[in-house]
Amino acid sequence: MADDAGRAAAVWAAPLYIGCAGWSLPREHWPAFVTEGTHLQRYASRFNAVEINSSFYRAHLPATYARWAQSVPSTFRFSVKVPKLITHELRLAHCETALEEFLAQCQRLGDSLGCLLVQLPPSLAYEPVTAAVFFRALRQRYLGAVVLEPRHASWLEAEGLLQDLHIGRVAADPAAIEGGHLPAGWQGVRYWRLHGSPRIYHSAYGPERVQAYARQLVQSFEQGIPTWCIFDNTASGRALDDALYLLEQQLAGFSTL
């Protein structure tokens, strides 16, 4: 009984962020949320985190970020995806101006900015000088949590750089690189990004697989490490099902694990 109480206390004390990639609420999920407010406000009535993917495709006005921050509880956190202009077009090189413009926009989230996500294309190999210049430039301008999702095997060689600059490496499903299903890099933040499998962006995880991830999350946040779990299997609306189930497990103190 004492062990159960200790685990329950750890669950509530540790920083665990659960959410989806985006806050779209398909009609079939409306009963799970409050009826009043914008989609973001309704989403934030259940979840404490969201990943903004639209920033990857287009810039948002600073005022838009500020409005989003004002729409959510003080404990809510946004993870913001770095624009493809930086990661896919400039490929991390000579992008200081673009980086500064992006940060000037998303930092209007204030304390609600919880993490930056740097997702790289499969064609982008690890080039030590380019990577060091980029991540040092980022760190000179932003001291909060940063996670990297590389998709080229050569980035396994970047472990030292990630440790030095306090960059976490995403635990992704499906994993694009060897060991990519586990969090790596700097261990001051851990970020699970679940895209859906076997059909990426579409497949549901379901209770059994969500519980398997929950066990990993328990181990992480019981160590006091800021821990994120973002469901990106949004194309068929499955992310909300999986995230709500994980949330219910947390509220139950993960008693079934």
Side-chain angles (χ1 to χ4, degrees):
M1 182 70 73
D3 288 345
D4 290 343
R7 167 171 284 196
V11 166
W12 291 111
L16 173 61
Y17 302 113
I18 297 172
C20 302
W23 54 80
S24 176
L25 299 179
R27 183 176 294 272
E28 62 267 25
H29 290 98
W30 285 5
F33 298 88
V34 299
T35 58
E36 301 296 325
T38 66
H39 273 225
L40 174 57
Q41 289 171 323
R42 295 169 64 196
Y43 170 96
S45 71
R46 296 295 307 273
F47 297 110
N48 66 350
V50 73
E51 183 182 281
I52 298 177
N53 273 276
S54 55
S55 55
F56 179 74
Y57 300 100
R58 63 185 185 278
H60 295 299
L61 293 173
T64 299
Y65 283 108
R67 184 178 71 252
W68 288 339
Q70 293 165 2
S71 300
V72 296
S74 61
T75 54
F76 190 93
R77 294 294 179 266
F78 294 87
S79 173
V80 186
K81 192 172 180 181
V82 171
K84 68 176 182 178
L85 170 64
I86 293 173
T87 56
H88 288 54
E89 297 174 21
L90 296 174
R91 299 171 72 83
L92 306 184
H94 310 296
C95 54
E96 287 80 3
T97 298
L99 181 60
E100 289 179 354
E101 291 175 351
F102 166 66
L103 289 173
Q105 296 157 10
C106 70
Q107 285 182 311
R108 288 294 301 278
L109 288 169
D111 292 340
S112 296
L113 176 54
C115 190
L116 296 181
L117 167 67
V118 183
Q119 178 193 293
L120 303 180
S123 62
L124 185 56
Y126 174 56
E127 203 292 309
V129 173
T130 300
V133 169
F134 170 75
F135 283 110
R136 285 181 181 136
L138 175 57
R139 275 296 178 223
Q140 289 169 0
R141 295 161 173 81
Y142 177 72
L143 298 178
V146 178
V147 293
L148 170 69
E149 185 177 0
R151 294 178 172 178
H152 191 284
S154 60
W155 281 88
L156 293 171
E157 302 170 15
E159 187 72 11
L161 176 68
L162 301 183
Q163 295 283 358
D164 290 345
L165 295 179
H166 291 185
I167 311 292
R169 199 184 78 202
V170 167
D173 179 72
I177 61 176
E178 183 179 358
H181 64 293
L182 297 173
W186 184 58
Q187 292 298 289
V189 60
R190 291 177 182 161
Y191 196 107
W192 274 260
R193 195 162 189 245
L194 307 180
H195 300 291
S197 63
R199 187 184 179 196
I200 193 168
Y201 306 129
H202 288 269
S203 294
Y205 283 92
E208 184 174 345
R209 285 200 290 172
V210 170
Q211 286 194 16
Y213 279 110
R215 295 185 186 97
Q216 298 179 59
L217 299 171
V218 167
Q219 293 176 358
S220 179
F221 68 70
E222 282 189 345
Q223 297 170 22
I225 297 172
T227 301
W228 292 70
C229 185
I230 296 294
F231 289 93
D232 189 32
N233 52 334
T234 57
S236 297
R238 302 303 186 185
L240 279 172
D241 291 324
D242 292 329
L244 285 168
Y245 181 77
L246 178 59
L247 183 65
E248 291 168 0
Q249 294 299 296
Q250 186 205 13
L251 293 175
F254 294 104
S255 58
T256 62
L257 303 184

